[in-house]
Each structure stands twice: as C-alpha cells, then as structure tokens.
Amino acid sequence: MAAGIQCGSFLLFAAFALLLVSTLSAPVFRQISFLDIRTGSQKLAFGVFGYCTNVNGNGNHGCSSRALGYDIASVSGEVSDFTYVNDKLEHVTKALVLHPVAAGLTFISFVIALLSDHVGFLFAALVAFLAFLVSLAAMVIDFVMFGIIRHEINDNTSSSASFDNAIWLTLAATVILFFSTFIVCFETCTHRRRRSKDVNRAYSEPYAGNGGYVGNQGPMMAQNGGYTAAPKRHFWQRNRY
C-alpha cells in the first residue's frame, strides 16, 4: 500500500474515532457533552441522544432516556432557573443524529481505502467527502444550537454555560475528514500516473541505450542478456553478390 493511502487511511480512522466518541456523549457517557451548564455544584450536560442533570463530583446524577430529539430550552431552565422557550430548538436537536451518520460513513470510507485497489481508493475518497459534508453540517448545527443556549444562559442568569469536549471533537473530525479526502484522492491520481510510467518503462527498457536497433543489421543477443548491434564490416569484407 502506498504511503499516501496509509496516511489517508490513518486520518479516516482518527476521524471515525473522534465522531464515535462525540456520538457516545450524554446520556451514554455523562463525562462527554457538547454544552455544560454549571450552577454551584450542579452541572447539566447535553449530548446527542439526551442529557444528564445534577452531575457533580459525588456521582449523584440522573440522565434522560436515549431518544432522538429533546426540549433543550426547557431542560436548561431546570438548572439555571431561567425560563427560555424555543420550540424550534427541540426539532433541531433531532439533527444531532448526523453525528452517528458521519461516523458510519467515515468508517465505510476507511474500510474501502484499507482493502481496495486504486479504483477503490477513488470510491473511498467520494465516501470520505460525503462524510465530510455530513460532519460539517453536524458541526454547524452544534455551534448554532448550543451557542444560542450558551448565550441566553450567560447573559440572563448567574449560571455559566460553556462548550464541552464533544463539540471540539466534532470540529477536529471535520478538519481531519477534509484533509483525508484530498489525500486519498491525490494518491489515487498519482498511483495511476506511476503505474502508467512503470508500464511504459517496462516496454521501453529492452530498446533503450545500447540495446537499441542500429540500422538494418539486426540485433544480436549479448552475454549480459541485452541487445547489441552487429559489428560493422569493412568494404573488402562485404559480399559483392
């Protein structure tokens, strides 16, 4: 496997791992979240399929059931004592499912790049580019939706809201997917060019240098396995008839 494909495959696997970790955020793992809201010793952590409340160092916490979409505005008010109503955000949280979708596409691209030939590399680059677009859309939704909650909490309450590790993992995965797509695509083009040059060189080597045909004397096989021209005879050695 070419070095470029190895590098591209490694980057694809790294992006997959980052997206997988962000997908396994709260309520799966409460230590991983996109947005944290802190009020005293209490902490509210938001993830892809739900949230965890009353998160503190003593392990006293409660997490929501895993579901597609949740009322992020009303949940944030439970900790901050701030009533913020935004029904549209509840529908936007359903778009967080793009994280596992991007992770799945990235894994498929990684497997194709790892097991395929030069034609498969091109297909892997196309799948990686699709994964990049999905991850980019998920990242934009993360920053917009959680940014709205963060702005409202910090401006209207004494609580503090901040982006947490999952949102930065998604950002890193998106950047890695961008570069890995072009690395795999570039290696596909250069691999075809190198293969074409190797084929041309294989056909041209027997006729290159001292092994070429000279005049109409015809080639003679030398001891080294190459072709050499027949020795030139003087005029008195030639046959007149």
Side-chain angles (χ1 to χ4, degrees), residues 68-76 83-95 145 148-149:
L68 184 61
Y70 52 92
D71 191 355
I72 186 174
S74 62
V75 172
S76 61
T83 303
Y84 175 62
V85 179
N86 193 328
D87 296 332
K88 295 181 180 179
L89 289 182
E90 182 177 358
H91 299 291
V92 177
T93 56
K94 296 179 180 180
M145 180 180 64
I148 292 175
I149 298 297

Side-chain angles (χ1 to χ4, degrees), residues 14-25 31-34 99 135 139 142-143 164-177:
F16 161 71
L18 294 176
L19 289 171
L20 179 63
V21 173
S22 66
T23 300
L24 298 177
S25 55
Q31 296 85 357
I32 306 172
S33 63
F34 291 89
H99 290 85
S135 181
M139 183 191 69
D142 293 343
F143 278 100
D164 204 12
N165 44 25
I167 200 168
W168 305 119
L169 293 177
T170 305
L171 173 62
T174 304
V175 174
I176 293 175
L177 278 174

Side-chain angles (χ1 to χ4, degrees), residues 3-5 7-9 11-12 109 113 121-133 136 173-191:
I5 294 299
C7 179
S9 300
L11 291 177
L12 287 173
S109 178
F121 298 156
L122 182 60
F123 184 62
L126 295 176
V127 178
F129 182 70
L130 179 60
F132 162 72
L133 294 179
L136 179 63
T174 304
V175 174
I176 293 175
L177 278 174
F178 175 79
F179 286 105
S180 62
T181 299
F182 287 98
I183 289 175
V184 175
C185 185
F186 176 77
E187 182 60 30
T188 302
C189 298
T190 55
H191 177 79

Side-chain angles (χ1 to χ4, degrees), residues 19 23 95-108 130-131 134-135:
L19 289 171
T23 300
L96 294 175
V97 73
L98 292 177
H99 290 85
V101 173
L105 290 173
T106 304
F107 181 75
I108 293 174
L130 179 60
V134 176
S135 181

